[in-house]
């Protein structure tokens, strides 16, 4: 029966993460395209888009991304081709796998009932679903971290699992910037709580330490290098402690968790929190019993809770992506709270209580699904650059030898859509020497330029820009001649392909 329930939960998790995957979110983001084209380049040439052979860290858009996620994309692009669905399928599978891992992790610490409740919640969590449906590498962090912790808990009964746990903890750092802060601090807490167990099993502890350091030291050397600090400098690590403290506690606020969430439209549909309303009861209750039941394992979850907002707080920004490691933890705490509610309500038969609980969860999921699949594609469509694939495809089919993309569409990062949607041969693309770091964005017939800075337009070129930008062109004494209009799902005209005459 437990296997059947877990199978149903896994199917639900996979379905929510895969259905309409190439359509919702509505559009595609440059970070996704960059990850996918790097994976495509590795598949075809063994090199990234810059011509570096099998790199561990990808330069990408000059933000130097950990390569594990990109390598995991390769088989999906091999099978499904270079497209939005294949690019996002990696995250969907990782997200679904995390649901299974949470089940076995929680079962190891509590019991099957709590494990099923926790897995079900993570399967339908808005927070986790959002990042399971876009090709951002951060979704790999909670997956590998939870797997690492699972084997640590298993090692408490069978110490032979300790080295594997140490190895996985080290690899989990190599997933996303937030892991660089969270995992080392978490491990300090883990070692402090279980130092007697670790000392008792010195051989396995030593082996785990060696495996951890073997993979961590090369990462550390890179992270403190100028390239490794590039992204940290971009997001601006804060030195204002009052701001850090304020942002830190904001990640525990009802406003973030239940009502408004992360306001970035790429991180969550508007007008809802990261979790469900009913968890305003289940999370406090689960947390109460975690604290009340004085077990070492419970303390580990409390350390996890204390640390999860820290990577986001250090950048002085409420940020669900940088705090994503909190999603599986809150599912565990809430799942624990649900089982306690069922146990406490003794004046009704258990099957009735279980039915009411499932009904509340089901209604919550239906309301969220309506918000995500029906309303979300129509909100702030510019956040996902919709129809950009159609724009690039249109340009590719023209006979023009000069096509200029305006950076005002979405900055210089817009360049990556050309090789992605044009499926440019990586051998050819690498020879172009395209490099956003030095403003080298000439791709043969395709160029990326800021039309605001152009004083003289070429009448032989096609220009791809936003409808609003046409007023700027007219103001310079030129006349844009529209060739093609591109509208979003609401029928609003957002991009145009034009020729420009004086």
């Amino acid at each position: 029966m437990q296997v059947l329930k877990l199978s149903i939960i896994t199917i639900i998790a996979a379905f929510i993460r895969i259905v309409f995957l190439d359509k919702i979110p509505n559009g595609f983001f440059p970070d996704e395209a960059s990850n996918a084209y790097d994976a495509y380049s590795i598949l075809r040439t063994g090199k990234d888009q810059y011509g570096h052979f099998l790199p561990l860290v990808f330069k990408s858009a000059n933000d130097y991304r950990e390569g594990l996620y990109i390598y995991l994309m390769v088989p999906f692009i091999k099978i499904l081709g270079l497209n939005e669905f294949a690019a996002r399928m990696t995250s969907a599978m990782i997200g679904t796998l995390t649901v299974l891992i949470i089940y076995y992790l929680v079962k190891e610490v509590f019991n099957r009932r709590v494990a099923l409740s926790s897995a079900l919640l993570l399967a339908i969590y808005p927070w986790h679903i959002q990042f399971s449906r876009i090709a951002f590498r951060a979704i790999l962090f909670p997956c590998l971290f939870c797997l690492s912790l699972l084997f640590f808990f298993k090692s408490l009964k069978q110490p032979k699992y300790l080295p594997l746990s140490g190895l996985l903890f080290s690899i989990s750092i190599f997933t996303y910037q937030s892991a660089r802060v969270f995992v080392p601090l978490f491990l300090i807490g883990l070692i402090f709580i279980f130092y007697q167990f670790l000392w008792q099993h010195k051989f396995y502890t030593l082996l785990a330490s060696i495996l951890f350091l073997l993979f961590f030291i090369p990462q550390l050397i890179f992270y403190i290098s100028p390239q490794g600090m590039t992204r940290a400098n971009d997001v601006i690590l804060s030195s204002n402690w009052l701001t850090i403290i304020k942002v830190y506690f904001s990640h525990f606020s009802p406003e973030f968790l239940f009502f408004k969430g992360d306001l970035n439209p790429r991180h969550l549909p508007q007008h809802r929190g990261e979790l469900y309303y009913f968890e305003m009861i289940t999370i406090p209750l689960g947390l109460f019993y975690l604290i009340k039941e004085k077990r070492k394992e419970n303390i580990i979850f409390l350390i996890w809770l204390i640390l999860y907002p820290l990577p986001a707080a250090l950048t002085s920004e409420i940020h669900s992506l940088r705090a994503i490691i909190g999603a599986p933890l809150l599912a565990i705490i809430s799942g624990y709270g649900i089982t306690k509610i069922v146990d406490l309500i003794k004046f009704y038969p258990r099957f009735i209580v279980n039915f009411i609980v499932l009904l509340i969860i089901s209604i919550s999921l239906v309301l969220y699904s309506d918000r995500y699949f029906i309303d979300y594609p129509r909100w702030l469509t510019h956040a996902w650059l919709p129809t950009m694939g159609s724009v690039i495809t249109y340009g590719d089919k023209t006979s023009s030898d000069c096509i200029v993309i305006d950076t005002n569409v979405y900055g210089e990062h817009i360049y990556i859509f050309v090789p992605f949607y044009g499926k440019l041969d990586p051998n050819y693309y690498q020879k172009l020497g395209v490099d956003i770091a030095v403003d080298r964005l000439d791709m043969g017939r395709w160029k990326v330029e800021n039309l605001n800075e152009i004083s003289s337009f070429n009448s032989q070129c096609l220009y791809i820009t936003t409808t609003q930008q046409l007023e700027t062109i007219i103001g310079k004494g030129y006349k844009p001649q529209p060739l093609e209009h591109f509208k979003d799902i609401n029928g609003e005209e957002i991009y145009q392909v034009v020729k420009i005459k004086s």
Side-chain angles (χ1 to χ4, degrees):
M1 192 63 173
Q2 296 291 324
V3 174
L4 176 61
K5 291 178 181 177
L6 180 59
S7 299
I8 292 172
I9 290 172
T10 305
I11 291 169
I12 292 171
F15 179 79
I16 295 174
R17 285 159 176 77
I18 294 174
V19 64
F20 306 126
L21 190 57
D22 57 334
K23 303 291 193 301
I24 305 172
N26 178 28
F28 206 57
F29 198 62
D31 284 358
E32 298 181 278
S34 184
N35 290 339
Y37 191 74
D38 266 324
Y40 179 67
S41 186
I42 290 290
L43 174 66
R44 296 286 299 273
T45 69
K47 302 175 183 178
D48 71 356
Q49 59 182 283
Y50 294 94
H52 302 141
F53 181 72
L54 296 179
L56 290 177
V57 177
F58 286 74
K59 184 177 179 179
S60 299
N62 198 42
D63 52 4
Y64 294 92
R65 302 172 188 176
E66 299 85 354
L68 183 55
Y69 178 86
I70 292 173
Y71 283 108
L72 291 175
M73 296 179 81
V74 172
F76 293 99
I77 290 175
K78 170 69 174 177
I79 296 169
L80 301 171
L82 183 62
N83 53 61
E84 294 98 331
F85 186 84
R88 289 174 170 172
M89 193 65 177
T90 312
S91 292
M93 290 295 98
I94 291 170
T96 303
L97 178 61
T98 308
V99 172
L100 278 172
I101 292 171
I102 281 295
Y103 169 82
Y104 289 105
L105 167 60
V106 176
K107 189 181 75 165
E108 195 69 36
V109 180
F110 298 103
N111 54 54
R112 287 187 175 88
R113 285 179 60 222
V114 181
L116 285 171
S117 296
S118 302
L120 175 60
L121 287 178
L122 188 63
I124 65 170
Y125 252 18
W127 193 348
H128 197 254
I129 290 170
Q130 184 73 22
F131 298 114
S132 295
R133 294 182 58 91
I134 53 181
F136 290 179
R137 69 194 189 284
I139 193 64
L140 188 55
F141 175 27
C143 179
L144 280 179
F145 173 78
C146 292
L147 186 62
S148 309
L149 192 57
L150 165 61
F151 282 107
F152 178 81
F153 283 133
K154 288 180 75 69
S155 75
L156 298 178
K157 300 173 185 175
Q158 302 178 67
K160 66 180 181 180
Y161 286 113
L162 197 54
L164 178 57
S165 176
L167 174 63
L168 288 171
F169 271 123
S170 185
I171 296 174
S172 74
I173 298 174
F174 193 64
T175 54
Y176 186 56
Q177 283 97 346
S178 296
R180 305 177 194 178
V181 176
F182 177 87
V183 175
L185 291 176
F186 179 86
L187 288 177
I188 291 172
L190 191 72
I191 292 168
F192 180 78
I193 299 299
F194 289 97
Y195 71 93
Q196 289 183 330
F197 165 78
L198 296 171
W199 182 255
Q200 183 180 354
H201 301 281
K202 299 183 189 68
F203 172 75
Y204 290 116
T205 300
L206 178 61
L207 186 55
S209 301
I210 291 171
L211 288 172
F212 177 84
L213 292 173
L214 187 65
F215 282 83
F216 177 67
I217 290 176
Q219 295 180 55
L220 181 61
I221 293 171
F222 171 76
Y223 292 150
I224 61 177
S225 70
Q227 292 83 3
M229 290 299 295
T230 299
R231 183 57 177 165
N233 293 330
D234 285 346
V235 299
I236 311 175
L237 293 176
S238 176
S239 58
N240 187 326
W241 283 101
L242 289 177
T243 302
I244 290 174
I245 291 170
K246 179 182 177 181
V247 174
Y248 172 85
F249 283 105
S250 294
H251 287 83
F252 296 106
S253 69
E255 188 174 70
F256 172 74
L257 295 175
F258 306 114
F259 299 112
K260 290 185 178 179
D262 187 332
L263 298 181
N264 186 326
R266 288 187 295 276
H267 295 174
L268 193 72
Q270 290 179 302
H271 313 306
R272 67 152 299 115
E274 304 291 337
L275 311 179
Y276 292 107
Y277 292 136
F278 68 81
E279 294 182 277
M280 287 189 279
I281 297 173
T282 58
I283 287 178
L285 188 63
L287 186 58
F288 171 78
Y289 278 100
L290 273 180
I291 297 171
K292 180 182 177 183
E293 298 166 359
K294 297 178 174 62
R295 303 167 63 218
K296 287 184 176 181
E297 292 84 351
N298 290 15
I299 297 175
I300 293 303
F301 291 114
L302 297 178
I303 292 173
W304 186 351
L305 183 66
I306 291 169
L307 292 177
Y308 102 81
L310 191 57
L314 289 174
T315 62
S316 302
E317 186 178 2
I318 297 175
H319 206 286
S320 59
L321 185 62
R322 293 175 194 146
I324 191 173
I325 194 63
L329 170 68
L330 293 171
I332 293 170
I333 296 174
S334 188
Y336 194 37
I338 286 174
T339 59
K340 290 299 181 182
I341 287 175
V342 174
D343 291 340
L344 289 171
I345 301 177
K346 297 180 179 179
F347 43 85
Y348 287 112
R350 174 162 287 188
F351 79 91
I352 293 179
V353 178
N354 285 333
F355 173 78
I356 293 172
V357 169
L358 284 175
L359 181 62
I360 292 171
I361 292 174
S362 299
I363 292 172
S364 300
L365 175 59
V366 169
L367 293 175
Y368 163 71
S369 298
D370 178 70
R371 178 69 57 85
Y372 184 85
F373 291 104
I374 305 300
D375 297 334
Y376 183 43
R378 299 182 179 276
W379 287 337
L380 298 176
T381 55
H382 64 274
W384 286 104
L385 304 172
T387 76
M388 187 51 64
S390 300
V391 174
I392 301 298
T393 301
Y394 173 86
D396 248 350
K397 291 179 178 179
T398 66
S399 58
S400 178
D401 292 329
C402 173
I403 308 172
V404 179
I405 304 179
D406 183 8
T407 59
N408 293 288
V409 172
Y410 188 80
E412 293 180 334
H413 295 82
I414 201 77
Y415 83 94
I416 194 61
F417 285 140
V418 174
F420 177 80
Y421 284 114
K423 297 179 173 55
L424 296 187
D425 181 352
N427 284 299
Y428 165 74
Y429 183 78
Q430 291 160 16
K431 294 174 183 177
L432 294 173
V434 176
D435 191 343
I436 193 172
V438 293
D439 236 2
R440 191 184 300 139
L441 299 173
D442 191 325
M443 294 169 279
R445 67 193 293 229
W446 288 89
K447 297 170 179 58
V448 177
E449 299 178 11
N450 187 340
L451 298 195
N452 290 337
E453 298 174 358
I454 295 177
S455 57
S456 178
F457 290 93
N458 186 340
S459 61
Q460 301 302 311
C461 291
L462 301 183
Y463 291 87
I464 296 171
T465 188
T466 62
T467 300
Q468 293 85 348
Q469 186 70 4
L470 297 183
E471 293 299 325
T472 302
I473 297 172
I474 294 171
K476 291 185 176 185
Y478 288 86
K479 181 181 179 181
Q481 178 186 347
L483 300 179
E484 190 68 29
H485 304 261
F486 295 88
K487 298 180 180 180
D488 66 11
I489 192 172
N490 298 318
E492 180 182 349
E493 191 171 85
I494 48 177
Y495 309 124
Q496 287 198 19
V497 178
V498 302
K499 277 193 170 185
I500 297 179
K501 297 181 178 181
S502 59

